Amino acid sequence: GAIVTLISGPTALEPPPVAHFERIETANEMFTAVKRHAERANIYIGVAAVADYRAESTSEQKLKRTNDNFEVKLVPTADILAWVAALPKPPFCVGFAAESHKLNENADVKRRRKKVQMMVANLAQAAIGADDNEVTILDDEGIHRWPRASKTVVARDLVAHIAKLYSKPER
């Protein structure tokens, strides 16, 4: 029953039937699209960053091979989730933390720094490319480790958990 806006980067998956779908290519395009919609949202789910960094400069032409060393300087992209959470009247914000180690510690630091109500954490090496996932939910009630399940089941359970937290009277 929700009105959904899905902003997505390149994927082989067909978008689900949603009220509004926007395809983007870059982190900057993602940020621009989110800025158009975030202030009207009740719930914002920032599933994954397009990229945490981008090349400081790019070239329109192929760089020819030389015997010189070549360095690429990376600069951070916009922190879209933190920007949404810092709005004057932010939506209920859900973030994702794909970690390689210290799952709970790193995800909790991320949740508190970005000031979001819920963080979904997983170990990247166990989730990327797999059909199932094991997630840990961090929210104001604590840390909840969920059992490994298909990604479809995890997604449905996440939506139910978000709805439960969002509908709490103290919100």
Side-chain angles (χ1 to χ4, degrees):
I3 297 171
V4 176
T5 298
L6 174 62
I7 303 166
S8 175
T11 178
L13 301 173
E14 285 296 316
V18 296
H20 185 72
F21 175 72
E22 287 190 39
R23 187 174 305 280
I24 56 90
E25 295 286 328
T26 68
N28 191 48
E29 289 174 0
M30 174 70 78
F31 191 31
T32 299
V34 168
K35 287 193 281 188
R36 279 195 303 270
H37 300 283
E39 290 181 345
R40 294 186 310 274
N42 297 104
I43 298 172
Y44 174 80
I45 304 172
V47 177
V50 176
D52 291 329
Y53 294 90
R54 65 173 176 76
E56 182 177 56
S57 61
T58 59
S59 175
E60 295 292 323
Q61 300 170 356
K62 179 185 180 222
L63 300 174
K64 298 292 186 186
R65 181 184 303 269
T66 69
N67 288 331
D68 296 331
N69 289 337
F70 184 75
E71 292 184 19
V72 176
K73 184 173 181 183
L74 300 177
V75 295
T77 57
D79 188 333
I80 299 171
L81 177 60
W83 181 87
V84 173
L87 287 170
K89 293 183 180 178
F92 181 91
C93 288
V94 178
F96 280 65
E99 301 293 343
S100 60
H101 65 289
K102 296 184 181 179
L103 181 68
N104 294 349
E105 179 182 331
N106 290 337
D108 190 50
V109 166
K110 184 176 183 178
R111 182 177 95 87
R112 292 176 191 284
R113 180 174 33 90
K114 294 179 189 255
K115 299 179 180 159
V116 299
Q117 292 89 345
M118 181 177 150
M119 187 66 66
V120 181
N122 63 3
L123 291 172
Q125 61 271 30
I128 295 172
D131 292 330
D132 57 2
N133 199 0
E134 182 176 343
V135 300
T136 299
I137 308 303
L138 296 93
D139 57 32
D140 289 343
E141 296 175 359
I143 298 174
H144 321 280
R145 187 170 176 197
W146 290 6
R148 181 165 288 280
S150 76
K151 288 182 177 178
T152 301
V153 168
V154 171
R156 288 186 180 132
D157 290 348
L158 284 173
V159 169
H161 191 73
I162 292 165
K164 180 182 91 172
L165 293 178
Y166 178 74
S167 64
K168 285 194 168 202
E170 65 267 12
R171 253 207 43 79

